[in-house]
Amino acid sequence: MTNTNEAPAALALISVSDKTGIVPFANTLAALGFRLLSTGGTARALADAGLDVTEVSEYTGSPEIMGGRVKTLHPKIHGGLLGRQGEDDRVMAEQGIPRIEMAVINLYPFEAVTREPGCSFDDAIENIDIGGPAMVRSAAKNFESVAIVTSPDQYDDVLSALVAGDGKLDRKTRFELAVTAFNRVAQYDDAISNYLSSIVEDEASGQPRRIDFPRQANSCHIKITDLRYGENPHQQAAWYRDLEPPVGSLATARQHQGKALSYNNIADADAAWECVRQFDGTACAIIKHANPCGVAVAASPAQAYERAFETDKTSAFGGIIALNRPLDAATAAAVMERQFVELVIAPAIESGALELLATKKSIRVLEISETIQQKEVRR
């Protein structure tokens, strides 16, 4: 016997290009009582894993058309995402539009495709997602009623919050997911704009070609951390990085020890690091208050440091030291014997050097790989 008073199962709309982790995530959603609604390839992946899933074209009564270009642009989808609880209930009931309580959407891989050297203009155009961003925006706008998940990186936290909330997400979590969703759409649109702004028609062949300097350049910046103050104590400041910081830049550094970086630490560390990176030979730079106290090249890091220090021993006190070679124990010992130092930065820190520097916890120690991009900077 069916209980007609029982509330219908909550709908979760799933449409993902990156299918990493989607099957176990969807499986847990189903176990929590969600009914799964999905598109093309995602629906097939879920069905192949044994999950009960309704395909969007079956749900809307409208088949995918134009080679899949149009499949989710339908009132039953966007009405389900945008419908406001307590305000749009009547019209949703009249139109037969069930509420969608969760949307799991990630977008066509436009950025990855256009980074490939052999990417054609046609490939780029076909990887501009239309329905995905539209659904993300609808769900994010209606965060009061809908949870929007845009990355596999969020799956574990979302599931933990759902379990803790007996299948529901609290308003704070839904809002944070919405902010992340709008940020993702902004990043995506910026990437498309940057690419298309770099395309011109070749006068000789009439074919599209890329130019080095686009007609418009958009950039997205991610906050690494708030700073206690800016260049001066009465000023406020925060540290931001590019969405994809260049390999070997200060924003990719790993901090081994010491207090959080200040505004002046960041400015001087960047100046010192960018200085030594310009040299092919072993180099050392000591920077203080944006001015070089000494820069030198030598056969070894210890010798390069010695020469840089001898340039101006007095000004080097409390400075920032950068090396373009791994920091070894001998160089670390020389630094600690000769001067007070705020920060030491190098492309690698040998274990012996780390042990010595650990005896003075106040020294900030940064390691920047020139070959492996590190996205986490220790707060």
Side-chain angles (χ1 to χ4, degrees):
M1 181 180 293
T2 301
N3 182 0
T4 56
N5 294 322
E6 185 176 333
L11 269 177
L13 171 62
I14 305 176
S15 180
V16 293
S17 176
D18 179 359
K19 295 176 177 56
T20 303
I22 194 57
V23 169
F25 182 71
N27 191 59
T28 304
L29 289 181
L32 288 168
F34 283 89
R35 183 158 60 99
L36 305 181
L37 175 63
S38 190
T39 57
T42 306
R44 287 191 293 274
L46 298 180
D48 289 346
L51 289 164
D52 185 11
V53 58
T54 300
E55 217 280 333
V56 161
S57 60
E58 177 187 346
Y59 176 77
T60 61
S62 297
E64 292 186 13
I65 60 174
M66 302 177 184
R69 279 190 166 197
V70 180
K71 51 191 172 186
T72 58
L73 298 172
H74 191 280
K76 202 168 180 181
I77 296 299
H78 286 275
L81 293 171
L82 284 166
R84 294 159 293 187
Q85 288 186 355
E87 189 168 345
D88 297 315
D89 297 346
R90 181 183 58 80
V91 70
M92 293 177 75
E94 289 174 352
Q95 298 296 322
I97 300 175
R99 186 176 306 284
I100 297 172
E101 294 193 15
M102 177 175 290
V104 186
I105 316 286
N106 61 56
L107 311 178
Y108 292 172
F110 180 86
E111 296 99 327
V113 168
T114 54
R115 275 196 296 265
E116 291 295 324
C119 174
S120 70
F121 181 71
D122 288 343
D123 285 341
I125 295 300
E126 287 308 310
N127 275 278
I128 297 176
D129 202 335
I130 302 301
M135 290 187 291
V136 169
R137 290 176 65 88
S138 291
K141 177 176 180 175
N142 197 25
F143 71 90
E144 294 285 4
S145 303
V146 183
I148 173 64
V149 182
T150 50
S151 170
D153 295 339
Q154 299 170 315
Y155 292 169
D156 288 344
D157 289 342
V158 168
L159 289 180
S160 296
L162 281 170
V163 171
D166 195 24
K168 299 287 185 179
L169 291 179
D170 60 273
R171 184 181 187 278
K172 179 177 182 295
T173 299
R174 294 196 307 272
F175 176 72
E176 291 300 328
L177 288 171
V179 172
T180 300
F182 278 119
N183 287 343
R184 175 63 188 124
V185 172
Q187 295 159 5
Y188 196 72
D189 286 343
D190 276 1
I192 294 169
S193 172
N194 286 339
Y195 174 81
L196 294 179
S197 293
S198 72
I199 298 294
V200 297
E201 184 178 287
D202 186 83
E203 293 182 1
S205 66
Q207 297 299 308
R209 65 177 179 86
R210 295 189 74 168
I211 55 178
D212 292 331
F213 299 102
R215 288 161 287 178
Q216 177 170 314
N218 309 289
S219 61
C220 287
H221 300 99
I222 308 298
K223 187 166 74 172
I224 295 175
T225 186
D226 288 312
L227 302 174
R228 286 186 299 161
Y229 55 84
E231 186 173 4
N232 298 294
H234 68 282
Q235 297 170 319
Q236 294 180 313
W239 185 15
Y240 289 79
R241 65 165 173 81
D242 291 339
L243 181 63
E244 295 182 4
V247 174
S249 63
L250 186 65
T252 67
R254 175 187 178 190
Q255 186 172 345
H256 286 279
Q257 68 176 53
K259 296 183 296 183
L261 302 180
S262 69
Y263 177 94
N264 291 321
N265 289 153
I266 294 167
D268 285 351
D270 186 60
W273 176 241
E274 293 301 327
C275 175
V276 295
R277 290 181 74 193
Q278 310 309 310
F279 292 94
D280 293 326
T282 302
C284 175
I286 304 175
I287 302 290
K288 185 176 179 181
H289 297 161
N291 292 303
C293 307
V295 180
V297 293
S300 70
Q303 291 174 338
Y305 165 68
E306 187 73 34
R307 290 181 180 179
F309 178 72
E310 289 294 330
T311 304
D312 188 343
K313 298 178 182 179
T314 301
S315 296
F317 182 87
I320 304 285
I321 299 173
L323 295 156
N324 66 352
R325 296 291 186 273
L327 176 63
D328 54 34
T331 308
V335 170
M336 294 173 69
E337 286 174 9
R338 285 168 175 76
Q339 69 170 105
F340 167 70
V341 58
E342 283 275 356
L343 186 152
V344 177
I345 186 168
I349 315 290
E350 296 181 1
S351 58
L354 280 174
E355 290 175 9
L356 280 172
L357 292 165
T359 63
K360 290 191 176 181
K361 296 290 187 182
S362 61
I363 300 177
R364 299 168 177 88
V365 179
L366 297 185
E367 180 179 352
I368 303 183
S369 172
E370 290 276 25
T371 55
I372 301 174
Q373 185 169 342
Q374 302 168 4
K375 293 190 176 180
E376 289 298 321
V377 175
R378 202 194 76 168
R379 308 295 197 266

